[in-house]
Amino acid sequence: MKLDVLYFAWLRERIGHPKDRIETDAETVADLVEELRGREERYAVAFADISALRVALDQDLSDFDARLDGVREVAFFPPMTGG
Amino acid sequence: MKLDVLYFAWLRERIGHPKDRIETDAETVADLVEELRGREERYAVAFADISALRVALDQDLSDFDARLDGVREVAFFPPMTGG
Amino acid sequence: MPDIRVQEAVFAPGKELDAFTDVQSGAGAVVSFTGVVRDDGGNLDEMMIEHYPGMTEKALAKIAEEAETRWSLAGALVIHRYGLMRPGDQIMMVATAARHRVHAFEAAEFLMDYLKSRAPFWKQERRGGDTTWVAAKDEDEDALTRW
Amino acid sequence: MPDIRVQEAVFAPGKELDAFTDVQSGAGAVVSFTGVVRDDGGNLDEMMIEHYPGMTEKALAKIAEEAETRWSLAGALVIHRYGLMRPGDQIMMVATAARHRVHAFEAAEFLMDYLKSRAPFWKQERRGGDTTWVAAKDEDEDALTRW
């Protein structure tokens, strides 16, 4: 399946760009993270500690155990600091 | 001693005027209430149930047991409904 | 020093909020409460508010100073009208400014709770030819126990 | 339906408060919260807020609709800016209108608590040449447990 993977805030800065378009067979968010870590050193560093990250699937907050069936957009980012 | 005694809201309406200037020897607020009740029927009616009333001495909330020494202005009124 | 105003004149809450916020440099969080005369399903013609001149200003200043101290406020504003008003009219407003939102919210709620039961205002509702003094609610008195 | 706006442009909280209040006939109680960039003792040059276009509007609408239902609000407003701002600038505001003051206050606090930790905004502070991403506070996450 094809996924748009988005990065925000310091995660975006560490990876160096805001978006990847990825062809993947990952079944869960955790699988996808594992795959991203294998891409390049900066991905491995950026995703070293997922407890410092949040994930949204098709623009709804989700978690790292969630399945990716039918998902088109996955976003990773640090805890939010609005308000 | 001479006291200004003020009435507000429905208490003022029942008594028929907003203020009395009274010469009294009352030692406490309760004594003063007793004296007012003896004045006229409408005072007796107005002050029948003091649990429905509040009192301020020189513009500070007080209570019916309070002494009147040095006080110049006593105000009686129903529970407040501002805001 | 809190800004306390007891007045018959109408006021514009938005203008007051902006003026209040402008002078709170570095406060970060500003909370406002505005009380408006409810139309009560079209039943209410007018509301009349009586107050105790002199004591009102004193009571409001005391409440607001306590709030400023307790929550380290950058500032506090209380405006309360008296006299005749109609449905949709502003009755009163409070505003609080603090470094953190929780303090600004708590201080504003404290001000409202105390002002409801401790400031000498009395509301009278007028419907048709009838006038009714609004009765104090037990819940308003009870609200004070949390502070 | 809540009024949700995510925008780069500055806005005037007072003007928004008045416009919001005008359409809440019969609400009685209006609470507003305004967040302002703190000057941090003159240290802060700018604040930059990044957001997730699309998800932001969705998350804010969901939070505000939940508040409207839970507290039977007459209305709710959320305005949140992104992009560059300077000390003293408005970052965001929420407003709630309800029949009773307690509901308006609670709904506004609920909105703020959820918006802090559940809406996809990230603040970056700029001082001299340095940029720092603001870290989320445990207390902000903890604040959600009360709702």
Side-chain angles (χ1 to χ4, degrees), chain B residues 6-10 12-13 54 56-61 73-83, chain C residues 50-55 58 80 91-92 112 115-124 133-136:
Chain B
L6 313 185
Y7 316 106
F8 291 97
W10 57 253
R12 173 180 53 68
E13 293 179 334
R54 301 288 179 267
L57 302 183
D58 289 333
Q59 307 189 349
D60 275 320
L61 275 180
E73 184 173 296
V74 180
F76 295 102
F77 40 78
M80 295 153 273
T81 54
Chain C
E50 182 171 330
H51 81 121
Y52 181 174
M55 178 172 168
K58 230 173 124 174
H80 204 304
I91 301 172
M92 49 77 61
M112 286 306 303
L115 192 154
K116 281 259 164 194
S117 311
R118 293 290 181 270
F121 292 103
W122 300 275
K123 291 196 182 101
Q124 188 188 64
W133 289 100
V134 172

Side-chain angles (χ1 to χ4, degrees), chain D residues 11-99:
Chain D
F11 64 94
K15 198 173 141 248
E16 299 296 343
L17 176 64
D18 285 342
F20 177 76
T21 303
D22 278 351
V23 297
Q24 313 299 337
S25 74
V30 176
V31 168
S32 79
F33 177 92
T34 314
V36 179
V37 182
R38 282 199 294 256
D39 65 1
D40 197 21
N43 259 324
L44 189 74
D45 297 319
E46 289 176 330
M47 175 172 279
M48 195 279 297
I49 299 185
E50 181 171 330
H51 81 121
Y52 180 174
M55 177 172 168
T56 311
E57 292 79 358
K58 228 172 124 173
L60 293 178
K62 192 177 158 192
I63 295 164
E65 278 160 23
E66 190 178 336
E68 283 196 339
T69 306
R70 197 153 157 184
W71 284 279
S72 306
L73 299 184
L77 167 71
V78 180
I79 305 175
H80 204 304
R81 294 178 63 201
Y82 58 87
L84 267 185
M85 41 209 96
R86 300 178 66 83
D89 286 355
Q90 270 70 42
I91 302 172
M92 50 76 63
M93 84 178 277
V94 305
T96 55
R99 213 172 143 73

Side-chain angles (χ1 to χ4, degrees), chain B residues 19-53:
Chain B
K19 187 172 172 177
D20 283 310
R21 179 126 176 104
I22 291 179
E23 173 70 45
T24 177
D25 295 321
E27 291 189 358
T28 66
V29 175
D31 293 343
L32 177 64
V33 167
E34 210 39 55
E35 200 176 305
L36 290 167
R37 280 178 181 145
R39 287 196 132 199
E40 285 177 52
E41 179 63 17
R42 62 203 158 104
Y43 284 86
V45 170
F47 283 99
D49 176 16
I50 58 166
S51 77
L53 294 176

Side-chain angles (χ1 to χ4, degrees), chain C residues 81-136:
Chain C
R81 294 178 63 200
Y82 59 87
L84 269 184
M85 41 209 96
R86 301 178 66 83
D89 286 355
Q90 270 71 42
I91 301 172
M92 49 77 61
M93 83 177 278
V94 305
T96 54
R99 212 172 144 73
H100 299 292
R101 76 182 187 286
V102 175
H103 294 170
F105 270 118
E106 281 191 6
E109 288 177 83
F110 167 88
L111 278 176
M112 286 306 303
D113 285 350
Y114 267 83
L115 192 154
K116 281 259 164 194
S117 311
R118 293 290 181 270
F121 292 103
W122 300 275
K123 291 196 182 101
Q124 188 188 64
E125 294 177 345
R126 300 181 175 184
R127 292 179 182 80
D130 295 336
T131 64
T132 317
W133 289 100
V134 172

Side-chain angles (χ1 to χ4, degrees), chain A residues 34-52:
Chain A
E34 209 40 54
E35 201 176 305
L36 290 167
R37 278 179 182 144
R39 287 196 132 199
E40 286 178 50
E41 178 62 17
R42 62 204 159 103
Y43 284 85
V45 170
F47 283 99
D49 175 17
I50 60 166
S51 77

